[in-house]
């Protein structure tokens, strides 16, 4: 098997709001869209995003009314301080300010208008290499 792309599908209440957020703030572009559906992509290693409206019949019956929750869309990046400053300047709510964990993970989190948690991570030499 050879995987040629990876996509995460998120079930949200307002597809258009999440689509605007991902395209305006996170560099995604629309690949395809229809009522209750949007497919977004980037030119780098980021996972593709599919947004589906809650209740859409293409979803399995037991998942149609669920909302994307309990998951984090995480992006490993460089220049994490600049990204946090840029997003803050654009008015994005930083729900977890930039912090560094003892194992060398620097991270911060934001949420899209539908409550999807997006985490930015940059790996550094651990401050406590125990």
């Amino acid at each position: 098997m050879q995987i040629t792309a990876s996509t995460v599908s998120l079930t949200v209440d307002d597809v258009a709001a999440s689509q605007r957020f991902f395209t305006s703030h996170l560099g995604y572009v629309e690949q395809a869209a229809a009522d209750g559906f949007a497919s977004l992509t980037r030119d780098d290693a980021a996972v593709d995003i599919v947004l589906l409206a809650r209740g859409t019949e293409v979803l399995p019956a037991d998942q149609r009314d669920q909302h994307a929750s309990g998951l984090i869309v995480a992006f490993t990046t460089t220049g994490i301080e600049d990204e946090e400053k840029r997003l803050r300047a654009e008015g994005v709510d930083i729900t977890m300010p930039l912090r560094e964990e003892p194992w060398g993970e620097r991270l911060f989190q934001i949420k899209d208008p539908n409550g999807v948690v997006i985490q930015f991570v940059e790996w550094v030499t651990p401050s406590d290499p125990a």
Side-chain angles (χ1 to χ4, degrees):
M1 169 176 53
Q2 179 182 5
I3 297 173
T4 60
S6 295
T7 304
V8 63
S9 181
L10 304 171
T11 305
V12 297
D13 290 320
D14 187 344
V15 169
S18 284
Q19 181 179 6
R20 280 190 304 276
F21 186 86
F22 276 87
T23 57
S24 297
H25 300 295
L26 302 179
Y28 277 84
V29 295
E30 179 185 298
Q31 198 169 29
D35 187 35
F37 165 82
S39 177
L40 309 175
T41 191
R42 286 180 48 109
D43 289 336
D44 56 13
V47 66
D48 290 344
I49 305 282
V50 167
L51 301 165
L52 292 172
R54 199 160 55 123
T56 301
E57 289 187 18
V58 71
L59 294 166
D62 64 337
Q63 296 178 18
R64 284 185 193 142
D65 290 323
Q66 294 182 10
H67 178 274
S69 64
L71 65 90
I72 296 174
V73 177
F75 298 116
T76 302
T77 186
T78 58
I80 198 165
E81 289 176 13
D82 291 338
E83 281 304 304
E84 185 194 34
K85 288 176 189 173
R86 177 187 66 80
L87 291 165
R88 192 179 300 278
E90 291 177 3
V92 174
D93 184 29
I94 308 296
T95 56
M96 178 196 297
L98 183 61
R99 61 194 249 183
E100 185 172 329
E101 301 295 347
W103 52 86
E105 180 182 22
R106 297 183 75 209
L107 68 146
F108 72 93
Q109 292 179 353
I110 62 176
K111 284 186 183 177
D112 90 332
N114 284 290
V116 175
V117 177
I118 301 154
Q119 179 170 295
F120 294 85
V121 176
E122 182 175 46
W123 294 96
V124 295
T125 302
S127 55
D128 183 16

